[in-house]
Amino acid sequence: MTPAVSADTGALSQAQTDRYWRDGFLFPVPVISPQEAAGYRAQLEQMEADWREADLPLPLGNYMRVNAQCVMPFAHDLATRADVLDVVESIIGPDILIYSAEFFIKNAHTEQFVSIHQDLTYWGMGTTSEMVTAWIALSPATVESGCMEFVAGSHKSEILPHADTFDDRNLLSRGQEVQVDVPAEDRTPIVLQPGQMSLHHGLTIHGSGPNRSEDRRIGMVVRYISPRVAQSEADTDYAMIARGVDRIGNFTHYGAPRRLFDPRGVALFDEIRSARAKAMMKGAAKRKGIYA
Ligand SMILES: O=C(O)CCC(=O)C(=O)O
């Protein structure tokens, strides 16, 4: 079990960062209290109740699944908390951009899953190590509820061949699956309690199974990048400054949403979605799901 982050600075210890770079992931890292996690979950579920039937340009699930930081103030708030950013800074340095905040939710007793994949496959960012994903648990992520599984050391490989499945139960944009066999003994279950997070590298092979538990499995996933990351597939790309400065200018920046689904945020969401579709759907035989 990974010890708590250092009490004085909030940064990871040298042993923890060494472990991240050795394995391609690190967990559990406690970042917020279980009570705070329950508070974010309550805001999320209130939003779902209030906006599920609302007249939004896209289904509510699209706004939850990517770029929630554009339209949901509570998602922006959690993604920019100092306790989270202090940890992220230990991996990618003091200048931190939010690329996307995403809710990966599996309802109780459902068949939804995430096929094993490497995140960077369709991001148009090459094999950069200057991005890290934080997966923050807002409910228990256990083997029973379908927690993620990581393959230690797999971040040291290149981007491996993936095949699209477009399976409706798959939470990924194109149901992409890495074309390698991963024996069960090579998979580490990433068990997290509410308020804990895991970190993973963009090349780490990972996936997750169905939720067989009585509760929803809710993770808020934040993709953080350094300003040095560059987009090479999409014509333009966007990111939000969470900490520090961007002296490079590879991304168009934008501000925090003022309220849930304010029109400016909704328009921005669609602008980003359209721009990224070129990279995210590159080579896909069909357009389906988030980037359709
Ligand atoms: O939440 C999951 O089960 C998978 C999430 C995932 O693929 C990711 O965070 O990159």
Side-chain angles (χ1 to χ4, degrees):
M1 179 127 165
T2 306
V5 292
S6 109
D8 47 351
T9 64
L12 295 175
S13 67
Q14 188 61 47
Q16 288 173 312
T17 50
D18 288 351
R19 192 155 147 188
Y20 171 86
W21 291 111
R22 185 194 69 194
D23 294 342
F25 60 86
L26 184 73
F27 81 106
V29 182
V31 275
I32 57 175
S33 69
Q35 294 74 18
E36 287 172 311
Y40 284 110
R41 175 176 180 167
Q43 291 186 73
L44 170 75
E45 294 186 332
Q46 188 62 53
M47 183 224 40
E48 289 178 295
D50 293 344
W51 289 83
R52 179 75 67 201
E53 305 300 332
D55 188 19
L56 291 166
L58 295 165
L60 180 63
N62 283 38
Y63 298 100
M64 294 166 65
R65 193 37 201 82
V66 290
N67 294 317
Q69 79 284 357
C70 296
V71 289
M72 296 173 201
F74 65 89
H76 172 265
D77 177 67
L78 179 51
T80 52
R81 284 181 63 119
D83 16 26
V84 175
L85 295 178
D86 287 346
V87 173
V88 170
E89 183 168 340
S90 301
I91 304 294
I92 60 170
D95 299 323
I96 302 174
L97 310 181
I98 296 170
Y99 191 65
S100 180
E102 315 179 347
F103 290 98
F104 273 81
I105 300 176
K106 296 175 192 164
N107 288 331
H109 295 291
T110 52
E111 293 304 315
Q112 286 176 309
F113 69 99
V114 173
S115 50
I116 54 167
H117 66 286
Q118 292 168 299
D119 292 333
L120 284 171
T121 306
Y122 298 113
W123 289 21
M125 296 176 180
T127 55
T128 183
S129 286
E130 300 205 71
M131 64 98 19
V132 64
T133 294
W135 198 106
I136 306 169
L138 300 186
S139 71
T142 61
V143 172
E144 192 189 17
S145 73
C147 66
M148 287 193 293
E149 296 174 331
F150 291 146
V151 180
S154 52
H155 64 302
K156 293 178 184 158
S157 65
E158 289 302 299
I159 295 178
L160 299 164
H162 284 63
D164 296 337
T165 65
F166 288 107
D167 188 323
D168 288 332
R169 297 164 306 166
N170 197 326
L171 296 178
L172 297 183
S173 54
R174 47 200 282 176
Q176 61 268 34
E177 187 164 33
V178 68
Q179 298 300 284
V180 292
D181 281 334
V182 180
E185 62 270 22
D186 288 354
R187 302 175 187 223
T188 304
I190 310 302
V191 174
L192 298 170
Q193 294 309 316
Q196 296 180 334
M197 73 176 181
S198 61
L199 300 173
H200 69 267
H201 185 284
L203 292 174
T204 300
I205 295 176
H206 63 289
S208 66
N211 182 357
R212 308 274 183 229
S213 79
E214 301 295 328
D215 192 9
R216 308 176 85 190
R217 193 222 64 169
I218 306 174
M220 188 172 105
V221 176
V222 193
R223 321 288 185 182
Y224 295 101
I225 58 175
S226 136
R228 286 183 294 271
V229 168
Q231 170 59 253
S232 60
E233 294 291 346
D235 301 326
T236 182
D237 209 349
Y238 301 74
M240 186 184 262
I241 297 183
R243 175 177 281 182
V245 287
D246 179 353
R247 294 192 178 81
I248 299 171
N250 287 336
F251 295 88
T252 300
H253 301 305
Y254 53 92
R258 283 186 285 265
R259 56 179 195 281
L260 278 171
F261 301 105
D262 71 44
R264 192 182 58 108
V266 170
L268 176 72
F269 180 95
D270 209 47
E271 207 177 303
I272 299 176
R273 194 173 76 99
S274 307
R276 285 194 190 155
K278 188 169 175 192
M280 296 293 188
M281 298 310 277
K282 188 179 178 193
K286 53 182 165 178
R287 283 288 189 93
K288 203 177 158 208
I290 316 164
Y291 295 102

